[in-house]
């Protein structure tokens, strides 16, 4: 698990050339890239949305830290 106030990198991947958007964006560095840096002060669920060149979107959530996950978008 990650202690509050600890900086963590969130990384999303795709096979295309599109745009990423992390939410909530408050407290997120590089919120419009695949590699966001967060320093959560409370338990937070982050959502990343990927939009490809055809305007198709895929969204997934990163559960609160301390839980295991593995999800590809």
């Amino acid at each position: 698990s990650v202690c509050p106030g600890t900086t963590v990198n969130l990384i999303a991947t795709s096979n295309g050339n599109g745009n990423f958007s992390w939410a909530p964006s408050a407290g997120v560095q590089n919120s419009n890239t695949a590699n966001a840096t967060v320093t959560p002060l409370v338990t937070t669920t982050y959502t990343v949305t990927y939009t490809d060149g055809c305007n198709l979107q895929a969204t997934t959530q990163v559960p609160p830290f301390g839980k295991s996950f593995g999800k590809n978008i």
Side-chain angles (χ1 to χ4, degrees):
S1 68
V2 177
C3 295
T6 301
T7 299
V8 178
N9 293 321
L10 302 178
I11 301 171
T13 60
S14 75
N15 291 331
N17 292 323
N19 298 307
F20 292 90
S21 177
W22 292 90
S25 62
V28 179
Q29 296 175 356
N30 305 317
S31 64
N32 291 316
T33 67
N35 302 315
T37 302
V38 300
T39 308
L41 299 178
V42 297
T43 300
T44 306
T45 297
Y46 292 96
T47 301
V48 61
T49 300
Y50 172 78
T51 305
D52 70 7
C54 296
N55 256 355
L56 299 175
Q57 291 187 339
T59 301
T60 193
Q61 289 186 332
V62 178
F65 295 112
K67 296 181 180 180
S68 62
F69 64 94
K71 204 172 199 182
N72 295 321
I73 60 169

